[in-house]
Amino acid sequence: DGGITQSPKYLFRKEGQNVTLSCEQNLNHDAMYWYRQDPGQGLRLIYYSQIVNDFQKGDIAEGYSVSREKKESFPLTVTSAQKNPTAFYLCASSGTGDQPQHFGDGTRLSIL
Amino acid sequence: GDSVTQMEGPVTLSEEAFLTINCTYTATGYPSLFWYVQYPGEGLQLLLKATKADDKGSNKGFEATYRKETTSFHLEKGSVQVSDSAVYFCALDTGRRALTFGSGTRLQVQP
């Protein structure tokens, strides 16, 4: 079945540590996105990529980094510069035209 | 900039009650409009969409009509079930970047 796989489902970060969240899709979508969701709030855009080897900052990119070396993969690194990383992180992808975004099941990141 | 405003929750209803969740938007151009649903601990699932004025999106008994004159896309269902309990997000897409989401509305349906 086609879809988006995020891993791990739960992740814990120690102070000063970088952690990487995985996002893989087999939908052959060109565009991929990372959102952050805080309790009781909507989704805020961290980074997005519309094509391989290219990505753009979203509204809250500080303290995060991404890469897009393959069409299927768009990993997100939460760096130690992100002082409040505890949140639910959602990855999405979309095809061309009016195609809606498809979402993974998310990764919940917490601080130890 | 683009924005989406949803009614605050939680919305608490009894089973078989009528549901309305209000959504209004601000955007340049002619965005596509979406409703997504999120069940506890999961990602978002597309519920319905509309791509132009007066379009009606529908799915699983839910409906929403794209009203350009009132910049609204209210979600309705005639008879809710306990299984409809979730968080509902209204979103718009202008095609320039990524989706712009509302803050979400939690629906609780009691038996």
Side-chain angles (χ1 to χ4, degrees):
Chain A
D1 287 338
I4 301 175
T5 301
Q6 289 188 242
S7 61
K9 191 171 179 66
Y10 299 97
L11 187 59
F12 298 91
R13 195 190 88 170
K14 295 179 181 179
E15 291 287 340
Q17 185 182 44
N18 293 351
V19 292
T20 297
L21 285 61
S22 171
C23 178
E24 303 277 334
Q25 55 99 0
N26 61 4
L27 300 166
N28 199 34
H29 285 167
D30 286 316
M32 297 188 73
Y33 312 83
W34 276 105
Y35 295 92
R36 169 179 171 141
Q37 185 179 24
D38 292 285
Q41 297 187 31
L43 280 67
R44 292 183 290 169
L45 182 66
I46 305 173
Y47 269 98
Y48 65 105
S49 167
Q50 295 181 325
I51 196 167
V52 174
N53 292 323
D54 186 46
F55 49 83
Q56 308 295 327
K57 291 182 179 180
D59 299 317
I60 55 166
E62 185 175 350
Y64 300 97
S65 65
V66 294
S67 63
R68 186 86 188 278
E69 297 175 0
K70 298 188 299 182
K71 188 175 185 177
E72 303 79 19
S73 179
F74 191 40
L76 174 74
T77 296
V78 184
T79 74
S80 57
Q82 172 49 246
K83 298 306 179 187
N84 184 24
T86 299
F88 191 51
Y89 291 87
L90 287 161
C91 178
S93 70
S94 65
T96 56
D98 288 335
Q99 295 299 312
Q101 288 186 18
H102 296 257
F103 284 81
D105 285 337
T107 293
R108 189 167 298 281
L109 175 62
S110 302
I111 298 299
L112 284 177
Chain B
D2 302 336
S3 67
V4 176
T5 302
Q6 288 181 237
M7 62 188 291
E8 290 192 18
V11 173
T12 303
L13 297 173
S14 297
E15 209 165 20
E16 299 184 2
F18 184 86
L19 168 71
T20 299
I21 299 179
N22 290 339
C23 170
T24 57
Y25 67 90
T26 302
T28 54
Y30 302 96
S32 295
L33 301 173
F34 305 86
W35 277 101
Y36 282 84
V37 58
Q38 184 179 36
Y39 298 100
E42 297 184 7
L44 274 66
Q45 300 174 26
L46 178 67
L47 183 59
L48 53 85
K49 70 173 186 178
T51 58
K52 62 183 187 297
D54 300 324
D55 267 2
K56 177 186 283 188
S58 61
N59 185 26
K60 300 180 181 179
F62 291 90
E63 294 182 339
T65 300
Y66 188 163
R67 300 287 188 200
K68 186 172 181 295
E69 64 277 11
T70 55
T71 61
S72 65
F73 193 54
H74 305 321
L75 182 68
E76 296 181 336
K77 187 175 184 183
S79 175
V80 293
Q81 306 300 313
V82 172
S83 58
D84 293 327
S85 298
V87 180
Y88 292 82
F89 291 94
C90 184
L92 68 84
D93 184 5
T94 59
R96 287 195 297 273
R97 196 178 69 161
L99 291 174
T100 298
F101 286 89
S103 57
T105 302
R106 181 175 300 279
L107 170 64
Q108 299 173 336
V109 181
Q110 298 175 336

